[in-house]
Amino acid sequence: MNRVYVCSCFGITEEEVRERAAAGAGTPRSIASACKAGTDCGSCVRRIQALLGRGAVPSRHAAGCRAVAESVAALDEAA
């Protein structure tokens, strides 16, 4: 089986994100609560959004990773 990692910091795969989404974690913040993905450097937040179907385009390089994670958290709170 080929594992595609979304979060290198915590070793979270696309499959794990999809499983957590199927179990009810429908936002990047709820994914973070479930498995910590997106809570360290934040570079995976856009990929998590894309996997959740939130319209974000995956990015390999996120400038200001922590700022991106904080911005997404603010958007989740507003939604």
Side-chain angles (χ1 to χ4, degrees):
M1 172 183 256
N2 186 15
R3 291 185 177 181
V4 177
Y5 286 91
V6 173
C7 177
S8 299
C9 297
F10 294 104
I12 306 300
T13 63
E14 282 187 0
E15 181 180 347
E16 290 174 287
V17 171
R18 287 188 181 108
E19 287 172 359
R20 295 190 192 286
T27 65
R29 176 171 277 192
S30 59
I31 295 291
S33 294
C35 64
K36 295 186 180 181
T39 62
D40 194 25
C41 81
S43 66
C44 60
V45 173
R46 291 181 65 166
R47 181 67 185 144
I48 292 168
Q49 285 180 312
L51 289 170
L52 295 174
R54 300 200 71 183
V57 177
S59 173
R60 292 187 187 268
H61 305 285
C65 295
R66 182 114 14 226
V68 170
E70 291 170 359
S71 295
V72 168
L75 289 173
D76 282 346
E77 288 177 5

